[in-house]
Amino acid sequence: MGFAELLRRAPGISRKMLSQTLRSLAADGLVDRRVEASVPPRVHSRLTALGRSLDEPLAALREWAERHMPDGDHFSRRTGNRSQPG
């Protein structure tokens, strides 16, 4: 997938953060990055087999979070504990 397409699919992320994240994922062996020598350079990324192996565990985590989100919201309202940065 091209960089611009990834950027469109991830609203709220900056170009810089997406680029840094993709480089980090590539360094960890989760993503293959291919840079075309063009002007401007075109960058394509795809999941490696290792990256694809995370699909099932991440889907389970997402499902758990969606199922328990109301519990966390209820707790926060009841106790007044809202996550504060820092």
Side-chain angles (χ1 to χ4, degrees), residues 51-63:
R52 286 189 304 276
S53 74
L54 286 170
D55 187 45
E56 191 175 322
L58 289 176
L61 180 59
R62 182 176 48 248
E63 193 175 301

Side-chain angles (χ1 to χ4, degrees), residues 2-46:
F3 184 83
E5 177 66 17
L6 283 171
L7 198 57
R8 278 192 294 278
R9 290 181 178 215
I13 191 169
S14 70
R15 295 178 75 80
K16 180 180 178 182
M17 184 52 65
L18 178 58
S19 181
Q20 288 175 347
T21 300
L22 289 172
R23 283 190 176 118
S24 177
L25 291 170
D28 291 339
L30 300 172
V31 168
D32 277 332
R33 289 179 77 244
R34 180 174 51 91
V35 180
E36 285 183 23
S38 61
V39 178
R42 294 185 51 123
V43 179
H44 300 274
S45 301
R46 69 175 182 200

Side-chain angles (χ1 to χ4, degrees), residues 63-77:
E63 193 175 301
W64 178 90
E66 289 170 354
R67 187 171 51 248
H68 293 287
M69 197 175 303
D71 299 335
D73 290 344
H74 173 74
F75 176 78
S76 294
R77 282 192 306 275

